Amino acid sequence: MNEKKTAERGYHHGDLRDALIRAADDLMAEKGLEGFTLRETARRAGVSPAAPSHHFGGSPGLLTEVAALGYRELARRLVAASETGSPADRLKAQGVAYVRFALDFPGRFHLMFRHDLLVKEQLSLEQATGQAWDALEKTVLAIRGQSEGAELDAEGEAMLIGIWSTAHGFAHLTLDKKLARIAECDSDDDMLENLFPAIIDTLWVKKLG
């Protein structure tokens, strides 16, 4: 009997799905999004080449689950960063947490915003994206002096998008090593702990103060 078939039969359904998601995530962590293939994912999980398509319907379904994994981890970090300090402190901590996530998981980070590769209506992705967005929204509400359950008005939405865009752009510039040429920082950690909070202060906190 084929060795991979035998290994595949040893999995429970949920275990096999999780194993394939972990294998795909590990593969992209090592080789980037461009290095992902269903065949290599299956090989790493020790199952037949057809297993990923059988369980996820092809690359988009599997990649969407990896992207959801990324959003859940991002949401966890954003929530943790918002647990102490003033609203301004929370905003800076969340900005740093966002960029830190990108540096820790570049494969996931690049995938999460490649909507051409994902199944956007997949429930797991919608829920995980909402968790991350909600964590930032609560901080914006606090900065604007609104209760946690309030609804952002147009100005608040613009602020939320602006803050996200600032963190997202800084993350890409840091990943691409673009800032090393223009910023007097010794390392990515230095930029994260000093330069980026100063940018948030300049663009958002001081204007609101």
Side-chain angles (χ1 to χ4, degrees), residues 52-180:
S53 292
H54 174 72
H55 286 274
F56 298 96
S59 292
L62 176 54
L63 290 175
T64 299
E65 293 300 335
V66 177
L69 188 70
Y71 275 110
R72 286 194 293 272
E73 174 61 19
L74 175 60
R76 186 190 68 77
R77 293 183 179 212
L78 293 176
V79 170
S82 69
E83 291 178 346
T84 58
S86 68
D89 291 334
R90 288 163 51 186
L91 178 62
K92 286 185 279 188
Q94 284 184 315
V96 170
Y98 188 101
V99 180
R100 178 71 67 187
F101 167 80
L103 296 178
D104 289 347
F105 299 99
R108 289 185 194 176
F109 180 72
H110 287 302
L111 172 64
M112 287 157 58
F113 303 96
R114 285 294 304 273
H115 298 299
D116 57 316
L117 301 177
L118 306 177
V119 183
K120 291 185 288 185
E121 64 274 13
Q122 198 153 303
L123 183 59
S124 58
L125 182 63
E126 291 181 355
Q127 291 175 335
T129 303
Q131 291 168 4
W133 194 251
D134 287 347
L136 286 174
E137 183 175 309
K138 288 176 181 177
T139 299
V140 172
L141 286 168
I143 286 175
R144 291 169 57 78
Q146 297 177 263
S147 62
E148 189 172 290
E151 185 174 343
L152 286 176
D153 57 16
E155 186 176 340
E157 288 281 0
M159 181 181 180
L160 178 59
I161 293 171
I163 290 167
W164 168 69
S165 299
T166 302
H168 193 75
F170 193 89
H172 272 289
L173 289 170
T174 305
L175 283 170
D176 293 342
K177 305 299 181 184
K178 301 295 185 184
L179 293 172

Side-chain angles (χ1 to χ4, degrees), residues 92 195-208:
K92 286 185 279 188
L195 177 61
F196 190 52
I199 290 172
I200 296 178
D201 261 334
T202 300
L203 290 178
W204 305 105
V205 177
K206 289 179 180 179
K207 289 182 179 180
L208 292 168

